[in-house]
Amino acid sequence: MPRLNPLPLPAYEQVKAFVKTQITSGRWRPGDAVPSEAALQQQFGVSRMTINRAVKELAVEGLVTRVQGSGTVVAQLHRISSTLALRDIHEEVLERGHTHTVHVELLETVRANVALAHTFKLRLGAKVFHSVLVHSEDGVAIQIEDRYVNPAAAPKYMSADFNTTTPTRYLLEHAPLTEASYSIEACLPSAHEARCLGIKAGDPCLVMTRSTISGAHVASWVRLVYPGTRYSFSGKFQL
Amino acid sequence: MPRLNPLPLPAYEQVKAFVKTQITSGRWRPGDAVPSEAALQQQFGVSRMTINRAVKELAVEGLVTRVQGSGTVVAQLHRISSTLALRDIHEEVLERGHTHTVHVELLETVRANVALAHTFKLRLGAKVFHSVLVHSEDGVAIQIEDRYVNPAAAPKYMSADFNTTTPTRYLLEHAPLTEASYSIEACLPSAHEARCLGIKAGDPCLVMTRSTISGAHVASWVRLVYPGTRYSFSGKFQL
DNA sequence: CAGTGGTCTAGACCACCGA
DNA sequence: CGGTGGTCTAGACCACTGG
């Protein structure tokens, strides 16, 4: 077979690049049909598996929509999206080239009230671990981490040393994570939170609450409070 | 060849499910080696391409890390992540089963000041379109959309009817979107913003600023203000 | 060097869609 | 029915990693 690919770019990447260019340049508009795999196979002189891989990946990326038996079309709305990752704040700060310090405000075992019992699916009065930490970047407080942990998911949570490992890291390593849900809101800090973060009572805060599931257990529920004036979530969408 | 797959599940999905189970159950821990493709090929009695597809997809999903020449290992941190999509608020509200209404506050053509010229990479004093809309869900204001648009990307923006189509939708349809970056913060509303949203001056707001690129142009810059008490971004991570 | 994953082929059978 | 994509095979060559 003639190998038309002495280039550094794999054949399937060349096919992807071609299709992408047609779309981003506007030559193929949303709703337009993309050539069939057979047609692209002819055009590029590669096997169908290779074409299939290229177009399949574009479908995963959301650029095209494929329907078996019908064909491939350019996706209707370029519903561009980005990933919001569950990250360890320690790594995050280090990546910015800054220093990360922690102050452990509180570490206790409590009995589940109605709300806790409900979120963890435990009985009223069951033991639940509770930790409150303040994270600082270059000495400036940037996050309050108010966390409850299910003892069933991380029995030794209370004996962890949070000066050397963060709760996030500890849990990621000790409770295989399977699912999480989050919500981001804007709130005013409580008097205590304002004091911890060193901000005024009227300064708005970004609050992320997150609940993580590990196998059969609700492993942890956490409320992260960020000073709105010093922190933002940011990211990038890309085709 | 013996076909061991009369099940409805494709072979590669079965392989993925097997590996996933080992990881989520904790039998294979982060850092552990995943069996080589050759080993899995033996175990499942399928071709290497099929094994390769399964493991490759797991790598894309972030469950495992692959290094050519070295092997595959269970990913260090289960860096679970979710997608934050650029969505049309009209669709979003309708999906919740509510009604969406818009009030056009302002629609004008302005001359670029220093800041605008910089974000759009235009010369000082160049024409830029400006629109301010208030979006309501069941009659309650939930978003102020303060948007600037590059005429080069959407020349007819000013003649669009924003009572029948939203700026987001209009731009998605008229300016093939290639890239976007965003940032989410917590802020206090200006007096005018508070009045538009019907909230008090001290009520915190979620503010998303987003800039979108379409081909060679910076197409649009938008500031979305949400009342923090009535709106939150939420989502779900899943393995 | 042997073992790994990265890529590719030239077939094949199937389920599905639209005419 | 013919054309589409979904899946799969049994090979193959390569680049890279580690000892």
Side-chain angles (χ1 to χ4, degrees):
Chain A
M1 277 298 110
R3 280 273 29 81
L4 312 173
N5 185 21
L7 309 178
L9 218 54
Y12 77 94
E13 287 288 2
Q14 295 183 41
V15 176
K16 283 179 70 173
F18 168 75
V19 175
K20 248 184 195 175
T21 303
Q22 303 306 308
I23 295 177
T24 58
S25 71
R27 278 191 284 280
W28 295 353
R29 306 200 46 85
D32 286 0
V34 172
S36 75
E37 297 193 353
L40 290 171
Q41 187 180 344
Q42 285 290 329
Q43 179 177 339
F44 285 91
V46 298
S47 81
R48 212 198 111 201
M49 275 296 283
T50 303
I51 297 292
N52 180 269
R53 172 172 180 180
V55 184
K56 175 154 52 64
E57 289 189 6
L58 290 174
V60 168
E61 293 171 26
L63 272 167
V64 301
T65 305
R66 319 195 81 188
V67 180
Q68 183 176 142
S70 172
T72 304
V73 297
V74 178
Q76 212 26 263
L77 283 187
H78 295 167
R79 203 167 283 163
I80 213 165
S81 66
S82 87
T83 56
L84 191 67
L86 191 163
R87 301 211 49 204
D88 185 14
I89 193 168
H90 179 70
E91 289 181 17
E92 205 181 302
V93 171
L94 289 192
E95 266 177 30
R96 285 197 283 266
H98 295 167
T99 63
H100 171 243
T101 53
V102 189
H103 174 65
V104 180
E105 279 281 316
L106 184 65
L107 194 57
E108 60 174 0
T109 302
V110 299
R111 299 284 174 175
N113 58 20
V114 177
L116 283 175
H118 182 259
T119 53
F120 286 108
K121 291 171 186 153
L122 292 173
R123 66 182 192 290
L124 256 177
K127 281 187 188 175
V128 178
F129 302 144
H130 182 209
S131 61
V132 179
L133 280 69
V134 179
H135 297 270
S136 298
E137 179 167 352
D138 284 346
V140 180
I142 54 160
Q143 183 196 88
I144 301 175
E145 176 185 5
D146 186 347
R147 184 184 290 273
Y148 292 88
V149 173
N150 187 343
K156 299 184 182 168
Y157 182 76
M158 296 303 278
S159 54
D161 177 7
F162 294 129
N163 290 298
T164 58
T165 184
T166 63
T168 301
R169 184 177 190 81
Y170 181 88
L171 289 173
L172 282 172
E173 286 177 356
H174 291 78
L177 192 48
T178 51
E179 208 179 312
S181 56
Y182 68 90
S183 133
I184 300 171
E185 303 168 86
C187 294
L188 290 178
S190 68
H192 178 252
E193 288 168 346
R195 201 162 48 247
C196 284
L197 293 172
I199 59 176
K200 287 180 297 220
D203 288 348
C205 291
L206 270 181
V207 177
M208 172 184 275
T209 58
R210 190 167 64 200
S211 143
T212 54
I213 293 176
S214 172
H217 304 114
V218 177
S220 181
W221 181 91
V222 64
R223 174 181 155 90
L224 305 170
V225 183
Y226 302 86
T229 50
R230 292 204 284 263
Y231 196 91
S232 67
F233 297 108
S234 61
K236 197 168 186 173
F237 306 101
Q238 204 145 11
L239 269 195
Chain B
M1 278 296 112
R3 282 271 30 80
L4 312 173
N5 184 21
L7 309 178
L9 218 55
Y12 77 94
E13 287 288 1
Q14 294 183 41
V15 176
K16 283 179 70 172
F18 168 75
V19 175
K20 248 184 195 174
T21 303
Q22 303 306 308
I23 295 175
T24 58
S25 71
R27 278 191 285 280
W28 296 352
R29 308 199 44 82
D32 286 359
V34 172
S36 74
E37 297 194 353
L40 290 170
Q41 188 180 344
Q42 285 291 327
Q43 178 178 339
F44 285 90
V46 298
S47 81
R48 212 199 106 194
M49 273 296 284
T50 304
I51 297 293
N52 180 270
R53 173 172 179 181
V55 184
K56 176 155 49 64
E57 289 188 7
L58 290 174
V60 169
E61 293 171 26
L63 273 167
V64 301
T65 306
R66 318 195 82 187
V67 180
Q68 183 175 146
S70 172
T72 304
V73 296
V74 177
Q76 210 28 260
L77 284 189
H78 294 169
R79 205 168 282 166
I80 212 166
S81 65
S82 88
T83 56
L84 191 68
L86 191 163
R87 302 212 47 203
D88 184 15
I89 194 168
H90 180 70
E91 289 181 17
E92 204 180 304
V93 170
L94 289 191
E95 265 177 31
R96 286 197 282 267
H98 295 166
T99 63
H100 171 242
T101 53
V102 190
H103 174 65
V104 180
E105 279 280 316
L106 183 66
L107 193 57
E108 59 174 359
T109 302
V110 298
R111 298 284 174 176
N113 59 20
V114 177
L116 282 175
H118 183 257
T119 54
F120 285 108
K121 290 172 186 152
L122 292 172
R123 67 183 190 289
L124 255 178
K127 280 188 189 173
V128 178
F129 301 144
H130 181 208
S131 62
V132 179
L133 280 70
V134 178
H135 296 271
S136 298
E137 179 168 354
D138 284 348
V140 180
I142 54 160
Q143 184 197 87
I144 300 175
E145 176 185 3
D146 187 347
R147 183 184 290 273
Y148 292 89
V149 172
N150 187 344
K156 299 183 182 169
Y157 182 76
M158 295 303 277
S159 54
D161 177 7
F162 294 130
N163 290 298
T164 59
T165 184
T166 62
T168 301
R169 184 176 190 80
Y170 181 88
L171 289 172
L172 281 172
E173 286 176 356
H174 291 79
L177 191 47
T178 50
E179 207 179 312
S181 56
Y182 68 90
S183 134
I184 300 171
E185 303 169 85
C187 295
L188 290 179
S190 69
H192 179 252
E193 288 167 346
R195 201 161 47 246
C196 283
L197 292 172
I199 59 176
K200 287 180 297 225
D203 289 348
C205 291
L206 271 179
V207 177
M208 173 185 274
T209 58
R210 189 168 63 201
S211 138
T212 54
I213 294 175
S214 173
H217 304 115
V218 176
S220 180
W221 182 93
V222 64
R223 173 182 157 90
L224 305 170
V225 183
Y226 301 85
T229 49
R230 293 204 283 264
Y231 197 91
S232 67
F233 297 109
S234 61
K236 195 168 184 171
F237 306 101
Q238 202 144 13
L239 267 194

